[in-house]
Amino acid sequence: MQGSVLGSLCFLIFIKDFEESLEESDVYLFADDASISKTYNNASYAERCLNNDLVLIEKWAEKWMVQLNVSKTNFVNFSLKRTNKSKLKLIFKNNAILEAPEHKHLGVILTSDLKWTAHINYCTSKSLKKLGLLRRQSGNLSRSQKETVYTGVIRPTLENGSVLYHNCSASDAARLETVQRKAALICTGAIRRTETRKLMLELNWDSLLIRRIYAKLLLFYKMVIKITPIYLGQKYLIRAVPVPTTRLNAGDDHKFIVPF
C-alpha cells in the first residue's frame, strides 16, 4: 500500500478516529507523526490529563494493532520560567517519557525556553552550506543565475518558519541579515566593505526583517478573509468586532481582539 495512489487516503481514513478517541488534550497530526499538548497553570491537572490521554492512545493502538515507538516518544515542557519550572511525570506503555530540551516539529526547532536561537542556528548553518556551494560555482554563473539560486534555494531555507521567529532577539536577527549580506556580495561581486544598504538597493532586495513583516501581514489578511486552517483564524486566534461607521471612519473597518 505504501507508495500507491490510494495509500495516503487509506491512511487518513485509518487514523480518522485517533483524535476522537482522546478526551483532554489538543491533538496535532501530520502524516505518521502525532503530537498532543495541554496548556496549564496547574501541573498536577496537566499531568493527569496527559496521562489519561496517553492511556487512551495505548487502547487505540491495541484496537487497531498499531505498534508505537516508545523510544522516539518524548515531551517538552514549554515555559518562560527560568527557575522552579514544573516537573511532569508522564507514562506511556509503562515507561516514563523522557523530557527533552527541544523538539524539531515540521522543520521548526522548538525549545523549552521559547527562544529561537537554536532554530536560527539551524537555518543559518544550512544556508551557509548552500551559500558556500554557490560561491564555489559563482565563476560559472551569470549574476541573474546567482540571484535566482539565492532567492529560489537559499533564502527559503533562511526564512523557514519566519512568521514564527519574527520576535527573535536582535542578535539572532542580525545573524540572518549577515547571511543575506554574504549572498549579496557573491551575487554582485562587490568588495567586502560595501555598505549593506547599497547592496540591497543594487539587487532590489528587501531586508529579511521587512520580508518577515510582509509575510505576517499577508498571513493576517488570509486569517481575516478565512482562507487559513481553522486553528489559525476562525477558532482560536482572532475575533473581529465591527466598528460603527462615521464620517471620520468610513468603510469596512474592524477592531481585532487577539486573546492570549
Side-chain angles (χ1 to χ4, degrees):
M1 183 63 73
Q2 185 175 0
S4 66
V5 175
L6 294 176
S8 299
L9 177 61
C10 291
F11 181 75
L12 291 175
I13 294 173
F14 180 74
I15 64 170
K16 183 179 183 299
D17 64 337
F18 179 85
E19 182 175 1
E20 298 170 356
S21 66
L22 305 186
E23 297 177 349
E24 304 285 351
S25 308
D26 295 319
V27 184
Y28 304 94
L29 300 172
F30 183 81
D32 60 344
D33 287 334
S35 301
I36 63 174
S37 68
K38 187 68 178 178
T39 303
Y40 70 92
N41 292 318
N42 185 300
S44 299
Y45 171 72
E47 186 177 285
R48 184 170 64 254
C49 292
L50 290 169
N51 279 321
N52 178 64
D53 279 343
L54 288 170
V55 171
L56 294 176
I57 290 174
E58 289 184 45
K59 293 180 179 179
W60 179 89
E62 183 180 351
K63 175 182 177 181
W64 296 111
M65 294 179 288
V66 175
Q67 294 294 324
L68 299 176
N69 195 332
V70 180
S71 63
K72 291 185 177 181
T73 302
N74 53 37
F75 78 94
V76 182
N77 191 6
F78 297 103
S79 174
L80 291 174
K81 290 183 177 181
R82 295 185 180 181
T83 59
N84 299 323
K85 185 182 293 188
S86 301
K87 297 294 184 180
L88 301 179
K89 184 178 180 181
L90 304 180
I91 306 297
F92 184 52
K93 299 183 73 172
N94 297 322
N95 291 284
I97 301 178
L98 298 178
E99 182 175 357
E102 62 183 41
H103 171 64
K104 187 177 180 182
H105 189 72
L106 303 183
V108 178
I109 298 177
L110 307 172
T111 59
S112 60
D113 58 3
L114 298 174
K115 294 181 179 179
W116 292 108
T117 301
H119 177 68
I120 290 174
N121 286 341
Y122 172 73
C123 291
T124 54
S125 176
K126 285 190 65 177
S127 299
L128 287 171
K129 290 178 182 178
K130 295 179 180 180
L131 205 57
L133 179 61
L134 176 61
R135 180 184 291 108
R136 290 190 292 273
Q137 297 296 323
S138 61
N140 303 320
L141 301 173
S142 66
R143 172 169 161 172
S144 62
Q145 288 173 327
K146 287 185 283 189
E147 289 183 39
T148 300
V149 171
Y150 173 69
T151 57
V153 178
I154 301 173
R155 190 166 65 186
T157 301
L158 201 58
E159 294 184 320
N160 180 31
S162 62
V163 295
L164 300 174
Y165 68 67
H166 179 62
N167 65 336
C168 64
S169 66
S171 59
D172 286 339
R175 287 193 295 116
L176 293 166
E177 299 292 352
T178 299
V179 177
Q180 175 157 274
R181 173 181 165 78
K182 290 181 179 180
L185 290 173
I186 294 172
C187 291
T188 60
I191 61 175
R192 291 186 178 182
R193 294 186 179 181
T194 305
E195 188 179 346
T196 301
R197 180 181 61 85
K198 292 181 179 179
L199 286 172
M200 297 301 109
L201 286 174
E202 172 71 19
L203 292 164
N204 197 27
W205 290 354
D206 289 319
S207 69
L208 296 177
L209 172 62
I210 295 297
R211 287 180 56 83
R212 290 197 296 274
I213 293 173
Y214 286 160
K216 289 184 72 176
L217 288 172
L218 179 59
L219 178 61
F220 185 77
Y221 172 72
K222 290 180 179 180
M223 290 159 57
V224 172
I225 63 175
K226 299 182 179 180
I227 60 173
T228 55
I230 292 176
Y231 61 82
L232 277 181
Q234 298 92 307
K235 188 174 180 181
Y236 296 117
L237 184 60
I238 203 167
R239 180 165 61 92
V241 180
V243 176
T245 301
T246 66
R247 291 183 180 180
L248 298 177
N249 186 23
D252 296 330
D253 293 339
H254 290 80
K255 178 181 178 183
F256 296 100
I257 299 173
V258 182
F260 293 95

